[in-house]
Every structure is written in C-alpha cells, then in structure tokens.
Amino acid sequence: MTKPQFRSWQSVQEEVLRRIHAREWTPGALIPNEADLAEEFGCSRATVNRALRTLAETGLLDRRRKAGTRVAAQPVAKATLDISVIRMDVEARGQRYDHQLTDRATTRPPMAVSAAMQAPTTSDMLFLKALHLADGQPYALEDRWVNLEVVPEASEERFDAISSNEWLLRHAPYTHGDIAFSAANATEGEAQALGCAPGAALFIIDRLTWNRSKAVTKVRIVFAPGHQMRTVL
Amino acid sequence: MTKPQFRSWQSVQEEVLRRIHAREWTPGALIPNEADLAEEFGCSRATVNRALRTLAETGLLDRRRKAGTRVAAQPVAKATLDISVIRMDVEARGQRYDHQLTDRATTRPPMAVSAAMQAPTTSDMLFLKALHLADGQPYALEDRWVNLEVVPEASEERFDAISSNEWLLRHAPYTHGDIAFSAANATEGEAQALGCAPGAALFIIDRLTWNRSKAVTKVRIVFAPGHQMRTVL
DNA sequence: CAGTGGTCTAGACCACAGG
DNA sequence: CTGTGGTCTAGACCACTGG
C-alpha cells in the first residue's frame, strides 16, 4: 500500500479542500482529529494544524477544543478588502493621480462628529476637504476631521505635496478603527465637485480610526459615480 | 539585568505593535531579524515567526526573504468583511427574517451573463428573483442565475422553506469567486419592490462563484436604501 | 553567494470545554 | 475527567532574492 504523502501544509490544505468540494466531508460533518490526519497524511501534527487553522480563519471550518473540527455548515465568506491610499488605487488603474485641498479650517466640529470621536465639543479640530483626481477627472471627495490633541503636527502641514489621506497614514498610526460602506444620493455640492448629476448614486466609505482610546481622525470618502470595490473570495 | 520574557506569540505581537505605535520602529524601517528578536524576547524563532507573519497578513509589516522585515510605509488596511447568508444578517439585527421567491424561469441568459460565467449562450440556466424581508419590510432584492450544468438539483428545489441564497451555500460548494460592491440608483422596478423612491441610492453586491473552472452562480443583491456594511480594522 | 524568512519535525505541555 | 485543539521548543533544511 502506498500512503500518499502530503509534505507541505499547502498540500494538506488542498487535500482537505478536495474532500470538502468532493463532498467526502459534507457541511456540518466532523472530520478526523489532527493526530489522525497527521498519520494519514504522513506529516507532523503541526503541519496539519497549520492547514486546518488557516482554513478555519477563512471560515470554511469550525474548530473547537474537545468538540473537534467540522466543515462549516454556513461557510461565511470572508472577503478581505484592501483599503489602500487613494493615490495607489488610481495609479493601479493606470491613471495619473492628483489632488487638491479645497477647504481647510480649525474649528469646533459638529456635535455628531465630536460625539463619534468621543472628544469634548469645546476643543477645536482640523477640518479638511479634498478632491482626488484621476487623469484630471474627479475621482473622490474626502471630508476629514483630525483630532489635534492626538496629531498636533497636522496644524503645520500644508497637504499640498502629499494628500491628507497619505500624510495621516505616515504620521498618525492607529491601533484600530471602524469602517462602513454605504450608498447615498449626491448632494448639490457633491454633484458639483464630482461633475455628476445631483442625486446620482455614490459609493461611500466612512472610517474612524483610534490610537489606544483616542480618536485620531474621522473621514468620509465619496466616490464618483460608477465606482466599484472588488475583491476575491 | 532582567530580560523581559515574551512567552506567547500574542505577547510578542503586542510588543511589536507597541514599538510601532510608539514610533520606536517607524514606517519603512527595517526591524531585527527573527533570530535576533527570538533571543531578545527569550522565546523560540517559531514564536517570533508566528507573531510577525500574522502582522504581515494584516498589512502592517512587509516581509521578504533576504531583505528582512520592514514596518509597512503605507499600511494597507485589510478589512475583512463577513459575507454571510442574508438571513443571518437580518437576525443579527434582531429582526424577523422572511423571503419570497418572486420570479423563476429556466431560460437562456443574456449574453452579458453567459459571457461572465463563460458558459455557452445556447444552454439554459435557472433564473431566480427573490425578495428578502426584515420584520416584514423589504430588506434586499436578489437576482440570480444558476448554472444547471453544475447544480442540476436546483431544478427540483422550490426555494420556499429555504432561500436560494442559503440553499446554494449548502448544496453548491465553490472553490473561489469574485465579489464587487457598488452603488446605483434604484430603477422603477427596484423602487417598487423595495418600497422606495425611484433613483434612490442603493448599495449593491455582485458576486460570481466558481467550482474549479465552472461558474456556479451569479448573483446581484440590491439592498434597501440606508444599508451599511460595517467592519473593523 | 549568503542572509533572511518559510517551513517541517518530534515531542511536550497546556487550556478549554464536552460528556 | 479526558479528548481536542493551541502553542512552544530546538533544531534542521530549504527557497528565494538581494547584493
């Protein structure tokens, strides 16, 4: 008898995937434990662990101590979106990137903003409004509030050579954040800035980032009509 | 001298994160190699590897053989979206889920569809249109083409007890897929089905899944106005 | 060519939770 | 209480790629 040899964790993973896709292991079913699989595959338990752990991270397997490993009944697809700097997005499309700072103020934010950022309503923040261009055409609008208590250096930056988007990533590290994607009809102002009809459906990203317990920046990016965000499963 | 001990890969990761956030290691800077860090941290190289590899997967570090490990200059945020079954989404919001199959046909798909699915224009596919409800209110519209060559059993399913969305996940495993998020104005038909004004901005998900080289299903989900998709960074 | 990360192994101990 | 996954270790070899 020739025992098949799976020497790398990737090959183990492929074999496991094959069994799932071939329905040898069906959704909800318990699969053998790591030790048994290691013996069957002719590799060490650590290798099997790596393969199964990775599959569990993508949502295809459910693993629990003592209960064992099961094929996920409802494979929750984990789509990983790369939220990069807008300049990179544009350049990846083979277009020339440019940006303009269209508005700037140091002022008290509206209640909604200070509340979301858990900052006192009495302290000033830096407000920035910018237009991102691809091949000279409007690509996205950026509205941003920057917490000057966390990033005081922002006061002295002109944001002309480098966009606020990019400057903050370099100078204001964050520990965590929330992000939300939605759709909204273009307001009059947005339509004018983006060169589209008022009411056009726009793709929107709202992001709020934190460093420890302090809000760093809150930004809303409104993309020109037709924008898509793609990824693979 | 007391050498700090980092005994778990998580604690090593936290220490690395601390150094990045404290700017001891700045964006673009080269950090010590695994062997040196292992010695400094008083743990094995494998532990350091696990910590750094995980950080690299989240985009915070750039690792290359021979070149070493650097703090990412542009930390590309990897946002992981959980694309679950619509029923789960609704129930997670504490609402009652329901669905209606509003249209069903076995017919030849439009060229755009057969081309995207790389299927012959001459063969029939199953077309499904469904309305998903939350607490009785329209939540999302689903337009779906199912490749009967890959999932012939779909012909005999009524999709009343279980939505097509969920049925396919259980019965038609896929190996990979594309997904795209966008915004569009509601058409007359969509407005009527969703109970909103024509032209309202709607959040849209387009998904195409494959099993090996065969397209399984192509689906477009149009959410009622105001829908947001959230995640953390 | 040589340094770095990538991985595998065998063995060990541990934490957790199912029964 | 016991089986399962989770992790750590020390050592080894390999693959890639920068210089």
Side-chain angles (χ1 to χ4, degrees):
Chain A
M1 91 161 224
T2 57
K3 184 183 289 184
Q5 293 283 324
F6 298 97
R7 316 194 122 276
S8 70
W9 69 267
Q10 288 96 334
S11 68
V12 169
Q13 190 176 73
E14 277 172 30
E15 172 62 10
V16 171
L17 280 172
R18 189 193 65 70
R19 294 186 186 187
I20 294 174
H21 293 143
R23 320 219 105 221
E24 292 176 26
W25 291 340
T26 56
L30 192 63
I31 76 175
N33 68 32
E34 294 187 349
D36 290 349
L37 286 175
E39 193 189 356
E40 178 187 345
F41 291 157
C43 65
S44 79
R45 203 194 123 204
T47 304
V48 173
N49 179 276
R50 174 88 186 262
L52 298 187
R53 176 163 41 83
T54 307
L55 286 175
E57 282 165 4
T58 72
L60 213 62
L61 294 178
D62 255 350
R63 317 195 76 198
R64 285 156 70 191
R65 282 168 156 122
K66 169 73 180 184
T69 301
R70 292 175 180 280
V71 179
Q74 306 284 348
V76 174
K78 312 257 187 190
T80 302
L81 291 176
D82 290 357
I83 316 293
S84 59
V85 166
I86 293 177
R87 175 175 61 79
M88 310 276 259
D89 271 5
V90 170
E91 289 173 353
R93 297 156 55 120
Q95 299 184 293
R96 181 174 44 82
Y97 173 74
D98 204 358
H99 67 97
Q100 302 166 354
L101 188 63
T102 57
D103 201 353
R104 175 188 191 128
T106 301
T107 178
R108 293 190 187 171
M111 282 256 300
V113 171
S114 54
M117 296 175 78
Q118 293 178 14
T121 49
T122 54
S123 58
D124 284 352
M125 287 197 188
L126 177 62
F127 176 69
L128 300 169
K129 216 179 166 80
L131 177 63
H132 299 268
L133 303 161
D135 278 348
Q137 297 298 309
Y139 179 79
L141 275 173
E142 174 179 329
D143 273 38
R144 185 184 290 275
W145 289 92
V146 180
N147 188 346
L148 291 173
E149 289 183 16
V150 177
V151 208
E153 320 88 272
S155 292
E156 285 142 41
E157 175 62 34
R158 298 184 49 221
F159 304 113
D160 48 0
I162 179 172
S163 76
S164 53
N165 186 292
E166 210 155 335
W167 186 91
L168 277 159
L169 271 181
R170 291 193 77 89
H171 295 80
Y174 61 87
T175 53
H176 63 288
D178 316 295
I179 189 164
F181 307 91
S182 58
N185 294 102
T187 63
E188 278 290 344
E190 287 165 347
Q192 190 161 8
L194 291 172
C196 66
L202 305 178
F203 189 82
I204 291 176
I205 298 182
D206 280 288
R207 195 172 4 165
L208 178 53
T209 57
W210 304 77
N211 194 327
R212 309 273 173 185
S213 60
K214 296 245 183 190
V216 177
T217 186
K218 183 177 192 303
V219 62
R220 179 182 181 88
I221 299 177
V222 180
F223 291 90
H227 184 79
Q228 279 198 338
M229 181 156 273
R230 306 177 147 282
T231 188
V232 294
L233 293 178
Chain B
M1 90 162 225
T2 57
K3 185 185 287 184
Q5 293 284 324
F6 297 97
R7 316 193 123 277
S8 71
W9 69 269
Q10 288 97 333
S11 68
V12 169
Q13 191 176 70
E14 277 172 29
E15 172 62 10
V16 171
L17 280 172
R18 190 193 64 73
R19 294 186 184 186
I20 293 174
H21 292 143
R23 320 219 104 221
E24 292 176 25
W25 292 341
T26 57
L30 191 63
I31 77 176
N33 68 32
E34 293 187 349
D36 289 350
L37 286 175
E39 194 189 354
E40 179 187 345
F41 290 157
C43 65
S44 79
R45 203 192 124 204
T47 304
V48 173
N49 179 277
R50 175 87 186 263
L52 298 186
R53 176 163 42 81
T54 307
L55 286 175
E57 282 165 5
T58 71
L60 212 62
L61 294 178
D62 255 350
R63 317 195 77 197
R64 287 155 69 191
R65 282 166 157 122
K66 167 77 180 180
T69 301
R70 292 174 180 280
V71 179
Q74 305 287 347
V76 174
K78 312 257 188 192
T80 302
L81 291 176
D82 290 357
I83 316 292
S84 60
V85 166
I86 293 177
R87 175 175 62 79
M88 311 273 262
D89 271 4
V90 171
E91 290 173 352
R93 296 156 54 120
Q95 299 184 293
R96 182 173 44 82
Y97 173 75
D98 204 356
H99 68 97
Q100 302 167 353
L101 189 62
T102 57
D103 201 353
R104 176 188 190 128
T106 301
T107 179
R108 293 189 187 171
M111 283 255 300
V113 171
S114 54
M117 295 176 78
Q118 293 178 13
T121 49
T122 55
S123 57
D124 285 352
M125 286 197 188
L126 178 62
F127 175 70
L128 300 169
K129 214 177 167 79
L131 176 63
H132 299 267
L133 303 160
D135 277 349
Q137 297 299 308
Y139 180 78
L141 275 173
E142 174 179 329
D143 273 39
R144 185 185 290 275
W145 289 92
V146 181
N147 189 346
L148 291 173
E149 290 183 14
V150 177
V151 206
E153 319 90 273
S155 291
E156 286 143 38
E157 174 61 36
R158 297 184 50 221
F159 303 113
D160 48 0
I162 179 173
S163 75
S164 53
N165 185 292
E166 211 155 335
W167 187 90
L168 277 159
L169 272 181
R170 291 194 77 90
H171 296 81
Y174 60 87
T175 54
H176 63 287
D178 315 294
I179 190 164
F181 306 91
S182 59
N185 293 102
T187 63
E188 278 290 344
E190 287 165 348
Q192 191 161 9
L194 291 173
C196 66
L202 305 178
F203 188 83
I204 291 176
I205 298 182
D206 281 288
R207 193 171 7 164
L208 178 53
T209 56
W210 304 79
N211 195 328
R212 309 269 173 189
S213 59
K214 297 245 183 191
V216 177
T217 186
K218 183 176 190 304
V219 62
R220 178 182 182 85
I221 299 176
V222 180
F223 291 89
H227 185 78
Q228 278 198 337
M229 181 156 273
R230 308 177 146 281
T231 188
V232 292
L233 293 178

